[in-house]
Amino acid sequence: LDFNLSLSGYEKFPGTNLSVGSRGEDVRTLQDYLNLIAITYRGITPVPPTGVFAEQTRRTVTEYQRRFSLPQTGVVDEQTWNSIGRTYSDLISEINVAEEQFGGNMLREGDSDFSG
């Protein structure tokens, strides 16, 4: 599965809805977001990251909308874009863990979170 993991956050809504026939970098970004989300959430199918919003992308958007209780239009409006972006951003922050996120306590065999 091919997608761009270097997108550390999500881009703001491009200003126009994306739907079948849309093309360009915004569609490619959307497809990258959906492909990472598809790894984690069953029922969301990956799409080829072509930059062309075709029928397969519409189906995947509809799957996402169903899973996240959004109107199932297959169109990426601002509400859907922001929901997809937030989901992507949450997932990518778990993958790209920075060294300073480490809590500082090494765990060893026999350690426990429970006292006494």
Side-chain angles (χ1 to χ4, degrees), residues 26 51 80 105 107 113:
D26 292 329
T80 298
N105 297 320
L107 297 177
D113 287 341

Side-chain angles (χ1 to χ4, degrees), residues 51-90:
V52 176
F53 197 122
E55 185 58 30
Q56 190 172 358
T57 302
R58 186 198 65 75
R59 279 193 307 271
T60 297
V61 167
T62 303
E63 292 166 356
Y64 178 90
Q65 291 169 327
R66 181 179 310 114
R67 175 74 169 80
F68 287 87
S69 303
L70 296 168
Q72 296 171 36
T73 61
V75 173
V76 180
D77 58 7
E78 188 168 10
Q79 178 186 19
T80 298
W81 177 274
N82 288 334
S83 178
I84 290 170
R86 281 190 304 272
T87 302
Y88 171 86
S89 187
D90 288 347

Side-chain angles (χ1 to χ4, degrees), residues 98-114:
E99 192 174 314
E100 60 270 12
Q101 289 178 277
F102 175 62
N105 297 320
M106 294 296 286
L107 297 177
R108 292 176 184 81
E109 187 174 348
D111 284 353
S112 173
D113 287 341
F114 304 103

Side-chain angles (χ1 to χ4, degrees), residues 12-54:
K12 70 179 213 149
F13 178 65
T16 57
N17 292 350
L18 301 176
S19 59
V20 172
S22 298
R23 54 183 59 235
E25 280 304 306
D26 292 329
V27 174
R28 171 64 196 247
T29 297
L30 169 70
Q31 291 165 333
D32 285 336
Y33 293 167
L34 290 170
N35 285 338
L36 178 65
I37 292 166
I39 291 172
T40 302
Y41 291 95
R42 285 196 313 241
I44 298 176
T45 309
V47 296
T50 60
V52 176
F53 197 122

